[in-house]
């Protein structure tokens, strides 16, 4: 007998995904990207799928359907992807080399350091600290080690 009752996750087709026409899906995809990426709403830790739906005058089921079908992930993973991408840029930028991880996490919209670390690791297979050390220019690493 196995110790854990782990079952394979089955892909199931959510009925509401088929209710959104392909044309409407493409339009919603563009509108979602406009709000989340261009207006940088991903930086707002309180910006939920519900608020996005309100801003786009639709409902959360449509938002969920579009994000799932067009981006192949859920809303939280979708938003976190943009947060992590910005965090990666900040982590290797000399202007921000003295920021603590909590400060970077806050700048890009995470509610706490733990969710930042978990999301970063899930996407990059390394911690933010490991990423910074691996990607900081050599001259900056030398200066930091000389200070110690």
């Amino acid at each position: 007998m196995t110790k854990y009752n782990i079952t394979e996750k089955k892909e199931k087709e959510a009925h509401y995904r088929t209710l959104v026409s392909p044309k409407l899906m493409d339009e919603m995809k563009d509108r979602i990207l406009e709000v989340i990426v261009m207006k940088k709403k991903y930086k707002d830790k309180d910006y939920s799928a519900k608020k996005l739906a309100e801003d786009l005058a639709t409902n959360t089921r449509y938002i969920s359907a579009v994000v799932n079908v067009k981006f192949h992930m859920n809303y939280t993973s979708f938003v976190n992807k943009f947060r992590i991408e910005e965090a990666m840029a900040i982590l290797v930028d000399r202007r921000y080399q003295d920021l603590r991880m909590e400060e970077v996490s806050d700048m890009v919209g995470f509610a706490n350091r733990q969710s930042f670390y978990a999301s970063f690791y899930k996407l990059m297979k390394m911690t933010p600290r490991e990423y910074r050390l691996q990607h900081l220019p050599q001259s900056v690493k030398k200066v930091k080690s000389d200070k110690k």
Side-chain angles (χ1 to χ4, degrees), residues 13-20 25 60-62 64-66 68:
E13 188 64 32
H15 175 67
Y16 65 87
R17 289 181 193 166
T18 60
L19 298 176
V20 185
M25 262 230 201
T60 55
R61 280 193 175 268
Y62 279 13
S64 176
V66 172
N68 274 275

Side-chain angles (χ1 to χ4, degrees), residues 27-119:
E27 289 172 15
M28 295 264 305
K29 174 188 172 191
D30 293 341
R31 291 173 62 204
I32 289 169
L33 285 171
E34 170 70 26
V35 172
I36 298 295
V37 181
M38 303 309 284
K39 293 183 179 177
K40 297 192 177 211
K41 287 291 189 176
Y42 64 85
K43 287 183 164 191
D44 181 351
K45 52 180 76 69
D46 297 319
Y47 197 74
S48 63
K50 185 176 181 184
K51 287 184 182 176
L52 176 60
E54 289 169 6
D55 289 349
L56 297 180
T58 188
N59 64 53
T60 55
R61 280 193 175 268
Y62 279 13
I63 298 293
S64 176
V66 172
V67 171
N68 274 275
V69 171
K70 293 297 185 179
F71 302 106
H72 310 288
M73 59 184 83
N74 64 31
Y75 177 81
T76 303
S77 296
F78 174 71
V79 172
N80 285 348
K81 178 178 159 282
F82 296 108
R83 291 173 175 165
I84 297 302
E85 288 171 0
E86 180 153 342
M88 289 165 54
I90 290 170
L91 290 169
V92 298
D93 190 321
R94 287 182 176 188
R95 294 172 297 179
Y96 303 114
Q97 70 189 30
D98 292 327
L99 287 181
R100 295 183 342 267
M101 288 302 151
E102 290 83 1
E103 294 167 313
V104 174
S105 168
D106 193 54
M107 281 175 72
V108 299
F110 281 97
N112 58 59
R113 191 177 71 100
Q114 290 80 8
S115 58
F116 172 53
Y117 264 74
S119 295

